[in-house]
């Protein structure tokens, strides 16, 4: 459905997107993951024919973004980072306007507006001015706008950015719902790792304009879960805690690769324990602490930051390459 | 064609759902009303004198309509930048330009819709002056043909400056800059005429040719000259052409 081929986009001297290639099959929900400035928005703007690529290209639903932009535009729905809304319009009026612009026929228009209002749960504000809506509603009107013409492909740029936790959950549910109901192929960008795990089937990771990895979400979580890092806080029951003793005991647990002291105040100390790939050490850590006669105040997995993900992915890629070379 | 219509309606709606259309109409009504009053007052007092001296009755077209039309053409220079300032600048600022440029719409359709809506608003503003002019028909017998030619001239001159304003509006996301830029260009195109008045070199001739107000004078007199129509129409095309180029480069740079 989407085929991106060595796509490059430069702004003057900055290379925003550097020779990335990937494909997306029909009906997939794909997460486009990368930190700020990675080139997500730029890529999406090329895919939606808003910007021409500097070199390379892309085909959307079988049409080339450079040669047949009108055909591409008919088949995509796009929600930019900031929803493109007209505050002086009423919701239903706005959706009708966008519908007509995207080629919904006059006879189908009212029905489509009803349908998307229902899907996006904005029926109760359809006669309100967009300028008066809350952020969550605006985002949903933005989504409704993107699907009004029932496009083959939906492109959503950070659809949950700036929303509160409840709205984020609602929006994610809505996106999953859309994938089911409309059989759309969806690309959504995000800089939040768990978002991809919760919403998407496939993930494309980019950093500084370069493709880092494309994989199914299942494989990716597997690769990342391999090595885990947990935060442990222990407390001695009688006076000062013997730090070196604690460190030694933690390091002796099978499967632990590294123990780092994070904090120490009187009888309390916090460590970060990293485990080897495919070892689950949480239970052993808990037992070791209790057996030594200390209190276990806290034990939780450390959420992996995107930076860690990149480090790990690039490192494991390098390892595989090295292993391949050695064979 | 359908796209132009859909976009055109949206633009008009947006003019009339903000204060800008009403403000401009009110401004024009007041200023035109004042000039109308001044012109008729002079006409009446001079007319009295002429009657007492036993001379010919004065011509309304020459004494009221012509100076009024010249005034309106200059008032237009102040109104037009305010009409075009938001056309593209606002869409760039709020990001709605991304919606328009990723919809299956051709650039020229978007440009035509925006320009036509601006022309429509300008025409609506000019129409206010018709209310005053009907008084002339009630109290006298002015010739209506030169008046029509005059209004055609106003629309052509307006269309040409509105096209330039539309172009300026694509260059920025700041409406204040858009209004200032268009106003500056309007002023230059107006003033060129005075600057070159006593110069007869070829350059002066060329510059004088660009003065939008000079080309309007024949219209005010009720004279429809092809060369002035050609001037305005080609300026409209030129302005819209620049707009199209600017939109393209918006794509390449943005
Ligand atoms: N219009 C622009 N002009 C110049 N540089 C830009 C422009 N838009 C984005 N960039 C640069 O391109 C890079 C990628 O930006 P972007 O695609 O917005 O990343 P993301 O959406 O992943 O945060 C950044 O370094 C950014 O500064
Ligand atoms: Mg972005």
């Amino acid at each position: 459905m989407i085929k991106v081929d060595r796509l490059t986009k430069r702004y003057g001297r900055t290379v925003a997107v550097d020779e990335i290639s990937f494909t997306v099959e029909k009906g997939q929900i794909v997460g486009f993951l990368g930190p700020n400035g990675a080139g997500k928005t730029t890529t999406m703007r090329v895919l939606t024919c808003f910007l021409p690529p500097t070199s390379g290209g892309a085909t959307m639903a079988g049409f080339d973004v450079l040669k047949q932009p009108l055909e591409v535009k008919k088949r995509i729905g796009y929600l930019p980072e900031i929803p493109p809304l007209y505050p002086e319009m009423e919701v239903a009026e706005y959706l009708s306007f966008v519908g007509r612009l995207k080629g919904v026929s006059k006879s189908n228009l009212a029905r489509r507006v009803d349908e998307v209002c229902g899907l996006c749960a904005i029926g109760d504000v359809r006669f309100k001015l967009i300028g008066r809506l809350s952020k969550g509603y605006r985002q949903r009107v933005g989504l409704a706008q993107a699907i009004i013409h029932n496009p083959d492909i939906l492109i959503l740029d950070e659809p949950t950015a700036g929303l509160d936790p409840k709205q984020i959950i609602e929006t994610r549910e809505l996106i999953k719902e859309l994938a089911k109901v409309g059989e759309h192929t969806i690309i959504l960008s995000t800089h939040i790792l768990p978002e991809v795990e919760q919403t998407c089937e496939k993930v494309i990771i980019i950093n500084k304009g370069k493709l880092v990895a494309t994989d199914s979400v299942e494989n990716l979580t597997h690769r990342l879960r391999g090595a885990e890092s947990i935060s442990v806080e222990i407390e001695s029951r009688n006076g000062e805690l013997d730090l070196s003793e604690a460190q030694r005991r933690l390091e002796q647990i099978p499967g632990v690769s590294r123990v780092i002291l994070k904090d120490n105040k009187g009888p309390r100390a916090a460590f970060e324990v990293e485990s080897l790939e495919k070892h689950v050490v949480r239970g052993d850590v808990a037992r070791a602490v209790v057996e030594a006669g200390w209190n276990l105040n806290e034990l939780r997995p450390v959420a992996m930051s995107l930076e860690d993900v990149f480090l790990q992915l690039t490192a494991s890629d390098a390892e595989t390459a090295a292993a391949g070379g050695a064979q | 064609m359908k796209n132009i219509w859909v976009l055109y309606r949206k633009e008009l709606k947006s003019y009339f759902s903000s204060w800008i259309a009403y403000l401009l109409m009110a401004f024009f009504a007041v200023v035109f009303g004042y000039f109308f009053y001044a012109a008729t007052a002079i006409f009446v007092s001079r007319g009295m004198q002429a009657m007492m001296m036993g001379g010919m009755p004065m011509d309304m077209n020459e004494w009221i309509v012509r100076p009024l039309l010249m005034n309106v053409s200059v008032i237009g220079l102040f109104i037009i930048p305010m009409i075009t300032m938001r056309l593209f600048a606002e869409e760039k600022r709020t990001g709605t330009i991304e919606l328009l440029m990723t919809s299956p719409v051709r650039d020229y359709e978007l440009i035509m819709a925006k320009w036509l809506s601006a022309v429509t608003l300008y025409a609506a503003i000019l129409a206010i002056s018709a209310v005053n002019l009907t008084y002339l028909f009630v109290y006298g017998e002015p010739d209506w043909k030169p008046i029509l030619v005059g209004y055609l001239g106003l629309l052509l001159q307006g269309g040409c400056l509105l096209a330039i304003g539309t172009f300026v509006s694509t260059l920025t996301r700041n409406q204040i800059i858009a209004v200032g830029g268009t106003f500056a260009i309007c002023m230059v195109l107006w003033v060129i005429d005075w600057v070159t008045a006593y110069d007869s070199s070829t350059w002066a001739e060329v510059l004088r040719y660009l003065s939008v107000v000079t080309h309007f004078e024949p219209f005010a007199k009720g004279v429809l000259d092809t060369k002035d129509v050609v001037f305005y129409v080609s300026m409209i095309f030129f302005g819209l052409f620049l707009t199209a180029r600017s939109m393209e480069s918006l794509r390449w740079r943005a």
Side-chain angles (χ1 to χ4, degrees), chain A residues 45 73 78 86 100, chain B residues 2 13 91 98 101 251:
Chain A
R45 284 179 166 174
K73 289 175 186 179
Y78 175 38
Y86 294 101
R100 290 295 283 153
Chain B
K2 183 213 85 198
K13 153 94 196 186
E91 310 252 18
E98 272 193 83
M101 288 174 76
R251 281 216 159 83

Side-chain angles (χ1 to χ4, degrees), chain A residues 222-236:
Chain A
H222 225 75
R223 276 163 81 182
L224 294 177
R225 282 282 152 71
E228 195 179 35
S229 168
I230 50 181
S231 162
V232 187
E233 190 186 292
I234 57 184
E235 184 181 9
S236 138

Side-chain angles (χ1 to χ4, degrees), chain A residues 40-41 81 157-158:
Chain A
K40 304 183 295 292
T41 300
E81 218 160 342
D157 197 356
E158 310 226 4

Side-chain angles (χ1 to χ4, degrees), chain A residues 110-123:
Chain A
R111 189 176 52 80
R112 276 307 292 168
V113 171
D114 280 347
E115 279 173 14
V116 298
C117 279
L119 257 175
C120 300
I122 47 174

